[in-house]
Amino acid sequence: MADLGMLITVAPSLAMDALGPMRDNAGGVAGKAGMSHRVRKRMNTLAAVGTTTAARGRGFAMGLATPVTLALLGALVSRVEFPTGEGLTPKVFVGLMVGAMLPYWFSAMTKKSVGSAALQMGAEVRRLFHTIPGLMEGRVMPNYATCVI
């Protein structure tokens, strides 16, 4: 029952895990954009909240995974009447393993897309340094529009 109670909050946990790093980067974006001290202070607060929520979301997901998997496997084997009479035939077991790996695959694809976006932002920053004269010396401000959008 405790695991089912934890499962109810999976969607908010995934949202915390995804939005945490975004909030964490808010302070850096405000600093690079040259915003006022008041805005930077607010953004730094968001960054601290983002770091905490990302860590909590990951911890919650890890704590939830194993007991839920064991409970669901036990329920499946004890309640479902399989045509062969056995609950863990090779085909069923392989299907269970593939199903158990889907959340990890989803997480990996999500993290891969975040890494891809970071690489694109790095490439844009390098492009700005190469195309705007005086940027390296600090005489000219860069255009942050492409990175923010």
Side-chain angles (χ1 to χ4, degrees):
M1 290 305 290
D3 290 332
L4 290 177
M6 289 175 77
L7 274 174
I8 293 170
T9 61
V10 165
S13 297
L14 285 174
M16 281 194 312
D17 195 29
L19 292 176
M22 289 180 218
R23 288 188 220 140
D24 190 25
N25 292 329
V29 171
K32 294 290 182 187
M35 295 186 170
S36 70
H37 177 71
R38 192 177 68 178
V39 173
R40 286 186 193 177
K41 187 175 178 182
R42 288 181 185 164
M43 291 297 171
N44 286 337
T45 303
L46 280 176
V49 170
T51 303
T52 305
T53 55
R56 283 184 157 193
R58 288 183 188 112
F60 191 84
M62 286 186 277
L64 174 67
T66 303
V68 169
T69 304
L70 292 174
L72 290 175
L73 179 61
L76 178 74
V77 171
S78 67
R79 298 289 182 192
V80 174
E81 295 180 19
F82 292 97
T84 61
E86 277 190 49
L88 291 177
T89 62
K91 286 182 182 180
V92 171
F93 189 75
V94 168
L96 289 172
M97 290 298 111
V98 170
M101 291 306 296
L102 285 177
Y104 298 104
W105 176 79
F106 176 75
S107 297
M109 292 298 110
T110 303
K111 289 179 181 180
K112 185 178 176 181
S113 68
V114 169
S116 174
L119 287 174
Q120 289 176 2
M121 186 176 287
E124 175 62 18
V125 169
R126 282 190 295 279
R127 185 192 70 78
L128 289 174
F129 277 123
H130 290 293
T131 59
I132 301 175
L135 185 60
M136 289 289 280
E137 295 81 25
R139 290 181 278 132
V140 179
M141 290 297 293
N143 179 10
Y144 293 106
T146 306
C147 291
V148 174
I149 295 172

